[in-house]
Amino acid sequence: MSNLRFHEILLLSRRERAARRVMLGEYVTVVLGRNDTGKSALLKSIYGSFGAKAAVIHPRWEAADVTSLVRFSVDQIPFTMLRSGSFYAVFDGNGRRVFSGTSVAKELAPFLADLLGYRIVLTSRNNEVGPPSPQYLFLPFYVDQDFGWRENWSSFALLTQAKDGRKNIVEFHTGIRPNGFYVAKAALTSSQNALREARSEVAVVERMATEVRHDVSPTFDVDLESFQAQITRLLEECNRLKAVEEGLSARLAEVYARRHNLTTQIGVATASLREVAGDYRFATEQITHDSVECPTCGARYDNSFAERFAIAQDEDRLTELLVHLRAELAAVEDEAQGLSAEHSNQRAEIQRINVLLEQRQGEITVRTLIQAEGRKEVNQIFASRVEGARERVTVADIAVSQQRTRLREFEDPERTDRILDRYRSLMRAYLNELRVFTLEERTYQQITSNISETGSDLPRALLAYYFSILNVMAEFSTSTFCPIVIDSPNQQGQDQESIRTMLQFMRERRPQGSQMILAIEEPWNVD
């Protein structure tokens, strides 16, 4: 099993002109402080830096617009995660950027799943299949003070995005369905898609082949040599006609391009002439002084005879240019009409081709021969495609069968029973250790059960469940084990003996070698 470790977190608020750096211990870090000192904000920011938003974020913390940076390692390989608003970036140990993006679901989630070796895929409410969002990856490892002590598997926001997300994520993290299951499932899905596509292709090609066969004329024998002269003449005429048509098309394209260019130039010149004429009228009719003040910048400009004469010269030049351009456009229009007429005259050539096609040898025309031979060729093509598609169906069918067999290897009932027995055994022991005696065993028989208790027993019952899951994961899971982050366990009015018991329990029962970050108001004399 791989291990994720947090080494330090840095927080920066430019808005509040404040920052903080917190080093995190290799095994246990206790964040100690009274209420309203920011313990929860610190803990929420750890997994929040990885795109996993806690169930509740205080408005003041949101308003501070905090940029966070977490230094972490995966199997002792160092990385750095940076989050600034909706922007995320990951750097390797040499400071090289290995990821950046703004979409958590489409960009960050696939990257983290690959980095941590999480092969599970979930189906969204929109029926999109892909790696789970970060909150699902870290769900067993975080207990939020606002929701985590009220209901299990609820410490993060946006936990309703996936269909059957709770069941799938519990089975994945606890090892009931290991990574290999999801690799095999993805391969099975790919094979099933290939099989569906191959079967669809067979159906389409067979239908088209049937339609073509129905259109084929009755079979007849043809003396191809008797048609050789007509076919030779037909090919010569077709090649000549094609060459003429290509030449005319190229010339027409050139003429149309020149016409478009001239039309554009005339438009520009006309607009410029209109503007210059307006300037001249303004200078001669509306301004009586020898200078004029710019309404925008306040600068003054001459309105002398020389200035007005220059404007008039510009107007004359533009008028001459327009006359020239319009004359050139008229010539181009004439050329285009001539080419179009020449192109239309090719219809006579087409008629000659049709005459050749209708030449007969007995009851068979050249056209009939060509159509029949063409249909035979089409039939052969479709027959080949049908055969190829059927072969792909066979290959895909075999692949689906193989992947199903492989998938069943990971759905081992004996392994599942061992995991469930271990979970139930831990729950019984931990509930007793935490002095929760009223929670009936039938209510937590399933590993996905909702823990339902009341009063001060509820946080202790949830703690028993969380650590049962964590220890099952440490023993059976194939996923990366992440740091355990627990926020303010003193909930629902725990008495002094109960909170001491909870703290001692967390210290003693955390999985061996795991990293735990715990926020508390006071240590209650627990080392």
Side-chain angles (χ1 to χ4, degrees), residues 87-103:
F87 174 78
Y88 298 85
V90 180
F91 304 86
D92 65 13
N94 296 317
R96 290 190 295 265
R97 178 170 53 86
V98 294
F99 168 83
S100 63
T102 57
S103 172

Side-chain angles (χ1 to χ4, degrees), residues 240-256 335-347 349:
R240 190 183 66 80
L241 183 59
K242 180 180 179 182
V244 172
E245 184 180 11
E246 289 177 351
L248 287 173
S249 296
R251 290 171 62 192
L252 272 171
E254 181 184 352
V255 169
Y256 287 148
E335 186 178 355
Q337 289 179 2
L339 288 172
S340 296
E342 189 175 350
H343 194 273
S344 298
N345 290 337
Q346 293 303 309
R347 293 176 183 173
E349 300 292 332

